[in-house]
Amino acid sequence: MNLVREIQPQSGIDPIVKLTAPDMERVNALILAMAGSNVELIPVIADHLISSGGKRLRPMLTIASALACGYGGEGHVKLAASVEFMHTATLLHDDVVDESDLRRGKQSARMIWGNQASVLVGDFLLGQAFKMMVEVGSLTALKILSDASAVIAEGEVWQLAAAKSLSTGEDDYLAVIGAKTAALFAAAAEVGPVIAGADAEVREALRLYGLNLGLAFQLVDDVLDYGGTAASLGKNTGDDFREGKITLPVIIAHQRGSAEERAFWAEAMEGGQTDDAALAHAKELLGRHGALEETVLRARHYGALASQAAASIPASESRDALLQVVDFCIDRIT
Amino acid sequence: MNLVREIQPQSGIDPIVKLTAPDMERVNALILAMAGSNVELIPVIADHLISSGGKRLRPMLTIASALACGYGGEGHVKLAASVEFMHTATLLHDDVVDESDLRRGKQSARMIWGNQASVLVGDFLLGQAFKMMVEVGSLTALKILSDASAVIAEGEVWQLAAAKSLSTGEDDYLAVIGAKTAALFAAAAEVGPVIAGADAEVREALRLYGLNLGLAFQLVDDVLDYGGTAASLGKNTGDDFREGKITLPVIIAHQRGSAEERAFWAEAMEGGQTDDAALAHAKELLGRHGALEETVLRARHYGALASQAAASIPASESRDALLQVVDFCIDRIT
């Protein structure tokens, strides 16, 4: 098995996967244990998400950032599991909010068990996340993660309000994804140095690394939603379009578009005219104005900021693994 | 104003209201501040709930239980606001889960702003609750409240699964309301002695006080849902019935009912036959079997346990106020 893997072309995510493997095994065991409950529906729904092939990128960031600061304790495992639970809870609630049918290529939990169970199991996982954080006992880590929790929800509400308005500017959009995606990446990478007792500069560097990585990651996702295939992305291509969710490619194409094109975008995003023909036309307009390429450029920019931040911490295998994650995130497009 | 109030017949809630008034003023100011956000929809929805005339019983328990232990610090105000936010978040998510149209006699948030906003604003308030708890800095209080958070959600999922099954027994039902209602009452009353550094016996007594008070409170609510008026309860009478939510009165009437009556309950609670005629028949059956009176007896039992627990802590004006809350909860029926 290992031999076969080693002769495959290496992906940017391999070093962090290898580096964190022993700890991630314990993270995964803890996730399964904490998703357990006498209330049958809870482990069933949790397992559906947990086993659905997510990369566990966020908890790996927590483990690797702790290791990069020479951490030798046990707290990083619980914090990593907390971060993944926060993410899973967000996914469950997001699917309800977005009325999504698919999640990572599988039927979404809300389609199988209903919105009600998705809301409540999300709440349960969030409660379990906080329990694990409390067990670690670092008030600073608790502050970082509870701040992120409020910021994520705030970003989601903002997106809910802004999602259907083409007056959303690029700055607004970056603020939304900064809150709803990048805040958890930032927190995941910041709690590592915190429990390791690292210097303030290292802590700030890893926070910035996570924040900018999260922005790059989301922008690449936005591009993939118009350009990837359903198989490669694990969700329907065109989901954002059909849900009337305004992402950076649309903002750019709208800004660069003619009056007629703007009328099309308004009908689609604000008016709900999002059938397959409309999606095809949207893709053509994105192509005409280079909106996907422009978005990729932005992703590369934030990726570069992430790399620059990580490069400022003392050299180690863990630091190099973190640096390669940036390439992995960007390379998902190609 | 004060003179007028003093000559009115005294309600059991008056002593705790008076005792906690100076601190509750700060709790209310903090609640308003922490419900603030640049994202407009958040304060709008939060204010809708916050201003909708809830009694703020839970935060008053936190304040009074801290004062009963001689607490002289500031942390009880933040913990009380956290407890109220946890409760408000639960209400927002509950309304989505129960598909409720009314909440305390007003249109529910989900009816005005949609399920999506209710889910996300609930998440935001929960995040803000944890932020305030972290600021207080007591890991023990954090553990108590984060445990409660997970237990509440677990109880809700359980109820979701059990709600439509008449095989739910009285024990099961008590376990559900122990989790979904009483756990927060217990936590609200336990964090007071914790931050006051009270003895373990006092802490345990106040936890038991809150737990049993919560059970009594919920059982009285269950009775009011069949016997109160919409005006007095601030929600539609018969809501539980129409939502197919199986509460103790129904469990008792079902157990005591004839085969024909059981068939009626099955059609109603499991089959969704819950029109006005069915509700009228349900009330008749509850009356025939003394199911409401039996439920009131249970409420009185838990009320007595709550009083017994509170009576064991050192005498003080705060303790007496806590004791009178028990009477208030039970007296809502009469």
Side-chain angles (χ1 to χ4, degrees), chain B residues 210-259:
Chain B
L211 186 73
N212 287 295
L213 178 68
L215 291 171
F217 184 88
Q218 184 60 55
L219 291 170
V220 169
D221 251 11
D222 293 347
V223 170
L224 287 172
D225 199 70
Y226 284 100
T229 63
S232 75
L233 186 62
K235 65 175 182 174
N236 291 330
T237 304
D239 272 354
D240 291 343
F241 183 75
R242 274 185 290 266
E243 289 166 11
K245 200 181 270 179
I246 292 169
T247 57
L248 190 55
V250 172
I251 293 169
I252 291 171
H254 179 260
Q255 279 172 351
R256 295 179 179 180
S258 64

Side-chain angles (χ1 to χ4, degrees), chain B:
Chain B
M1 279 287 279
N2 278 336
L3 276 175
V4 174
R5 281 191 60 196
E6 277 166 24
I7 57 167
Q8 286 179 343
Q10 209 186 6
S11 155
I13 201 162
D14 290 347
I16 198 170
V17 168
K18 198 171 158 194
L19 175 86
T20 62
D23 287 330
M24 283 302 293
E25 209 166 294
R26 288 152 65 218
V27 171
N28 291 335
L30 185 58
I31 283 174
L32 283 175
M34 294 298 285
S37 165
N38 293 328
V39 182
E40 254 179 74
L41 199 55
I42 291 177
V44 170
I45 294 182
D47 288 356
H48 177 79
L49 271 139
I50 289 165
S51 66
S52 70
K55 287 172 299 295
R56 306 261 161 102
L57 185 54
R58 294 159 189 80
M60 283 197 291
L61 294 181
T62 299
I63 298 292
S65 70
L67 297 178
C69 300
Y71 184 65
E74 290 295 315
H76 62 330
V77 170
K78 281 181 179 164
L79 290 179
S82 298
V83 164
E84 184 67 6
F85 270 16
M86 284 176 68
H87 175 56
T88 309
T90 306
L91 294 185
L92 279 164
H93 287 184
D94 267 4
D95 284 342
V96 172
V97 168
D98 296 342
E99 301 174 352
S100 300
D101 302 342
L102 287 184
R103 162 70 61 192
R104 293 178 190 148
K106 286 171 71 171
Q107 235 189 333
S108 66
R110 70 166 208 104
M111 287 296 288
I112 307 175
W113 294 282
N115 283 339
Q116 306 173 321
S118 291
V119 170
L120 297 176
V121 173
D123 289 349
F124 173 74
L125 294 179
L126 208 55
Q128 295 291 79
F130 277 101
K131 279 170 66 173
M132 287 189 280
M133 289 172 216
V134 171
E135 283 171 16
V136 175
S138 159
L139 281 166
T140 308
L142 269 160
K143 177 170 166 37
I144 290 165
L145 288 165
S146 58
D147 282 355
S149 178
V151 165
I152 292 165
E154 202 171 19
E156 303 259 7
V157 181
W158 192 358
Q159 184 170 53
L160 195 64
K164 299 251 171 197
S165 166
L166 281 160
S167 63
T168 306
E170 181 168 341
D171 286 356
D172 287 335
Y173 182 68
L174 287 171
V176 167
I177 66 173
K180 66 164 248 169
T181 307
L184 188 56
F185 275 77
E190 189 180 1
V191 293
V194 162
I195 56 167
D199 290 348
E201 293 77 26
V202 171
R203 175 179 159 187
E204 177 61 6
L206 284 167
R207 186 186 72 79
L208 283 173
Y209 161 81
L211 186 73
N212 287 295
L213 178 68
L215 291 171
F217 184 88
Q218 184 60 55
L219 291 170
V220 169
D221 251 11
D222 293 347
V223 170
L224 287 172
D225 199 70
Y226 284 100
T229 63
S232 75
L233 186 62
K235 65 175 182 174
N236 291 330
T237 304
D239 272 354
D240 291 343
F241 183 75
R242 274 185 290 266
E243 289 166 11
K245 200 181 270 179
I246 292 169
T247 57
L248 190 55
V250 172
I251 293 169
I252 291 171
H254 179 260
Q255 279 172 351
R256 295 179 179 180
S258 64
E260 193 188 341
E261 288 172 19
R262 287 186 181 209
F264 163 78
W265 287 115
E267 263 178 47
M269 310 312 281
E270 297 173 2
Q273 299 291 318
T274 56
D275 57 16
D276 286 353
L279 176 58
H281 187 57
K283 285 184 181 175
E284 195 204 316
L285 294 183
L286 294 174
R288 185 181 301 170
H289 296 293
L292 297 179
E293 291 74 8
E294 187 76 27
T295 304
V296 172
L297 280 183
R298 299 286 195 292
R300 287 193 194 284
H301 165 74
Y302 291 109
L305 292 181
S307 298
Q308 193 184 343
S312 76
I313 73 168
S316 69
E317 195 191 345
S318 304
R319 185 196 69 169
D320 293 343
L322 289 169
L323 282 166
Q324 295 211 51
V325 169
V326 180
D327 299 331
F328 161 75
C329 283
I330 307 284
D331 291 346
R332 291 187 302 153
I333 298 177
T334 56

Side-chain angles (χ1 to χ4, degrees), chain A residues 155-167:
Chain A
E156 302 260 7
V157 180
W158 192 359
Q159 185 170 51
L160 194 65
K164 299 252 171 198
S165 166
L166 282 159
S167 64

